[in-house]
Amino acid sequence: MSGLEIERKFLVKNNDYKRLATSSTRISQGYICSHRGRTVRVRIRDGRGYLTIKGPSDIGGLARYEFEKEISLDEAQHLMDICEPGKIDKTRYLVPSGKHTFEVDEFYGENEGLVMAEVELSSEDETFIKPDFIGQEVTGDRRYYNSCLLKNPFTSWNATTKSASQEQQPE
């Protein structure tokens, strides 16, 4: 997949996504480059490797260019060895909602306790059905970018920061 990626991100407020999920998979990923405005990611998922390059996000953090290419598992494992320190370890659940599928990531390790959902859209103003487990929107909040979670993991956030970021949206 290559092209413009348009997505919205949300915190997850309960575990209902697990019973609604049609599938789940464990993901390990590292970053060769995680500078603001560009990232180069290596991912291993379901015994397959992927190399992804992402450009800078627009002002609202909703859209950015993404290039992704499948690579061999051997190549991915070797590239993981030259990644920046730290890895992202998570399980991704796919949860259908209307004509969209939410990708819900449950993090482990230094990001234990963080659960986020994202939905990819075909346009910035596209409407979608929000499942009941969806909480506060965090689209554009850089703290929640996977590349930023390497440098400032969720478990290192202080209690005030965590509670402020996890406040529930009004229904």
Side-chain angles (χ1 to χ4, degrees):
M1 174 184 104
S2 295
L4 187 65
E5 172 189 58
I6 302 170
E7 66 182 14
R8 291 180 61 183
K9 288 186 177 200
F10 302 87
L11 296 177
V12 171
K13 59 185 181 182
N14 61 47
N15 288 333
D16 289 352
Y17 65 93
K18 289 184 179 181
R19 67 176 172 76
L20 299 170
T22 56
S23 67
S24 66
T25 186
R26 194 72 176 247
I27 296 173
S28 175
Q29 65 189 44
Y31 288 83
I32 293 171
C33 172
S34 63
H35 298 291
R36 187 179 182 116
R38 70 188 60 81
T39 60
V40 180
R41 177 185 75 201
V42 178
R43 177 180 278 176
I44 297 175
R45 177 181 183 173
D46 293 331
R48 298 165 81 172
Y50 300 89
L51 182 65
T52 305
I53 301 167
K54 294 186 178 195
S57 296
D58 67 5
I59 292 173
L62 193 62
R64 64 181 170 173
Y65 176 78
E66 177 183 273
F67 169 87
E68 183 170 85
K69 176 134 178 89
E70 186 171 348
I71 60 177
S72 74
L73 180 58
D74 185 59
E75 289 169 321
Q77 290 168 331
H78 282 91
L79 287 172
M80 284 286 218
D81 292 339
I82 64 168
C83 284
E84 297 172 349
K87 299 284 183 282
I88 296 291
D89 182 23
K90 60 188 179 180
T91 295
R92 172 162 292 169
Y93 298 85
L94 299 181
V95 182
S97 179
K99 66 178 186 171
H100 295 90
T101 298
F102 279 78
E103 296 177 339
V104 180
D105 290 342
E106 178 181 359
F107 291 84
Y108 306 110
E110 291 189 300
N111 291 298
E112 184 84 31
L114 179 60
V115 183
M116 286 192 301
E118 56 188 50
V119 60
E120 290 200 17
L121 306 171
S122 56
S123 68
E124 292 187 16
D125 59 353
E126 182 179 0
T127 60
F128 58 93
I129 298 168
K130 253 195 243 182
D132 290 338
F133 62 81
I134 295 295
Q136 177 187 352
E137 184 163 5
V138 293
T139 301
D141 186 337
R142 292 192 49 78
R143 293 176 301 166
Y144 294 100
Y145 290 11
N146 281 229
S147 58
C148 292
L149 290 169
L150 281 179
K151 296 173 181 142
N152 187 20
F154 186 70
T155 57
S156 70
W157 298 8
N158 66 39
T160 305
T161 303
K162 284 182 183 177
S163 63
S165 70
Q166 293 177 324
E167 289 175 3
Q168 303 304 314
Q169 284 181 250
E171 298 289 324

